[in-house]
Amino acid sequence: MAAASDALPFDDFGRCLPTAAQAPAHPRSRRYFTLQQPDIDYAASHARLQRHLGAGETVNATVFAERAAAILARLKADPATAAITRGVAIPFILPRLAVDDMGRTLDERFLPAVGRAFEEAHPDYRFTNHNVGGLDGRLHIRPDSRHAGLVDAMGQAERVGIYFPALSEYSIPAALEQVSALPRHFLLAGGVDTCAALISAPGLLLRTDTYPPLLWLGALASEQPGIGYHFEAYGYNLTFNRRAHLGQAAEYWTCGLSVLDGD
């Protein structure tokens, strides 16, 4: 189980403790489904984001690294948030883009970019989008997720961020409750930021030594209550799919937090 840190609400492994959650969430974790911090090569990540997503046109690799380092430094400087930096942290760049329909944006730009980046980095394995019928009109930002601020920000300029898969073993309702209690620069991760993180670090869910968790797009509500969309490893392959969560928590499930530069 994770040891509680003096710098609550995060434990010594960077997990956000469910101190404000009334909905289902595991108070402690035995860390059976985990991710490993990848080595971050900012030049390589920048090149992937630019090549596959069209991000990084106004932010070069040096600026990318500087802005990501500034986010981490700011979090480390605050005793209440320093412990999150002990966990997995994936830097990403969001392109400047106005999002009129989140589902269409993921279908047309972000999910294909995830697939290209994953298969380029891991040519022996495959990315599969199991969603049939497209996402157009089927995804909406949850009002309490703070994710609308991220989408508004990327509509104005390219933004650098850090993705933290810190809400492990939470139900989606609990993740929404917890993010509301965190400092305002913590945003519940949705589709565009989770995709950008998986393009930056395509092997995030590829584990050969243990089992990775499923990553919910927690900030996005689907067309049906209790149904959500997620990324998941299938063997060493990467998949995108939907499933029922019914407001429950599971040891296998994780939601992410994103922090943007300048916020």
Side-chain angles (χ1 to χ4, degrees), residues 63-132:
V63 173
F64 178 30
E66 290 172 348
R67 292 187 184 178
I71 295 170
L72 293 171
R74 181 180 60 176
L75 295 172
K76 288 178 181 177
D78 184 346
T81 61
I84 195 175
T85 65
R86 300 172 192 162
V88 172
I90 308 298
F92 61 83
I93 307 172
L94 294 172
R96 182 179 180 181
L97 180 68
V99 177
D100 297 319
D101 183 284
M102 181 60 71
R104 187 186 314 127
T105 297
L106 295 183
D107 267 342
E108 294 181 354
R109 185 162 181 177
F110 282 80
L111 290 171
V114 170
R116 290 191 298 269
F118 180 80
E119 293 184 0
E120 176 188 70
H122 306 288
D124 292 335
Y125 308 122
R126 292 292 174 263
F127 170 75
T128 302
N129 180 352
H130 288 291
N131 183 60
V132 177

Side-chain angles (χ1 to χ4, degrees), residues 7-8 57 65 77 93 132 158 179 187-188 209 253:
L8 295 177
E57 297 297 322
I93 307 172
V132 177
E158 291 194 318
V179 77
L187 317 172
L188 190 60
D209 55 341
W253 296 349

Side-chain angles (χ1 to χ4, degrees), residues 19-260:
T19 55
Q22 299 299 312
H26 295 176
R28 296 175 70 85
S29 172
R30 66 180 182 135
R31 292 178 48 78
Y32 188 78
F33 297 95
T34 60
L35 298 173
Q36 186 173 26
Q37 175 65 40
D39 293 330
I40 302 298
D41 179 333
Y42 280 94
S45 290
H46 181 275
R48 274 191 298 272
L49 287 158
Q50 190 171 50
R51 184 164 60 251
H52 298 300
L53 187 60
E57 297 297 322
T58 62
V59 176
N60 64 30
T62 299
V63 173
F64 178 30
E66 290 172 348
R67 292 187 184 178
I71 295 170
L72 293 171
R74 181 180 60 176
L75 295 172
K76 288 178 181 177
D78 184 346
T81 61
I84 195 175
T85 65
R86 300 172 192 162
V88 172
I90 308 298
F92 61 83
I93 307 172
L94 294 172
R96 182 179 180 181
L97 180 68
V99 177
D100 297 319
D101 183 284
M102 181 60 71
R104 187 186 314 127
T105 297
L106 295 183
D107 267 342
E108 294 181 354
R109 185 162 181 177
F110 282 80
L111 290 171
V114 170
R116 290 191 298 269
F118 180 80
E119 293 184 0
E120 176 188 70
H122 306 288
D124 292 335
Y125 308 122
R126 292 292 174 263
F127 170 75
T128 302
N129 180 352
H130 288 291
N131 183 60
V132 177
L135 296 171
D136 197 341
R138 296 167 67 178
L139 294 177
H140 305 281
I141 297 172
R142 298 181 188 273
D144 296 334
S145 67
R146 302 178 176 171
H147 193 70
L150 180 146
V151 175
D152 289 344
M154 67 182 284
Q156 302 301 314
E158 291 194 318
R159 296 299 295 268
V160 171
I162 304 283
Y163 173 84
F164 298 96
L167 297 169
S168 60
E169 306 182 36
Y170 277 67
S171 65
I172 291 178
L176 289 163
E177 291 172 337
Q178 188 63 38
V179 77
S180 296
L182 294 174
R184 66 174 185 83
H185 46 270
F186 285 99
L187 317 172
L188 190 60
V192 293
D193 45 350
T194 305
C195 286
L198 287 169
I199 297 164
S200 178
L204 181 63
L205 289 177
L206 201 165
R207 298 297 306 270
T208 60
D209 55 341
T210 186
Y211 298 103
L214 170 156
L215 298 181
W216 287 112
L217 309 187
L220 302 182
S222 75
E223 72 280 13
Q224 297 181 36
I227 302 293
Y229 289 83
H230 60 84
F231 288 100
E232 182 178 15
Y234 183 75
Y236 298 150
N237 299 303
L238 180 64
T239 68
F240 178 76
N241 211 339
R242 67 197 288 268
R243 69 162 62 186
H245 59 79
L246 304 178
Q248 298 303 305
E251 186 178 31
Y252 177 50
W253 296 349
T254 290
C255 291
L257 294 169
S258 289
V259 178
L260 298 183

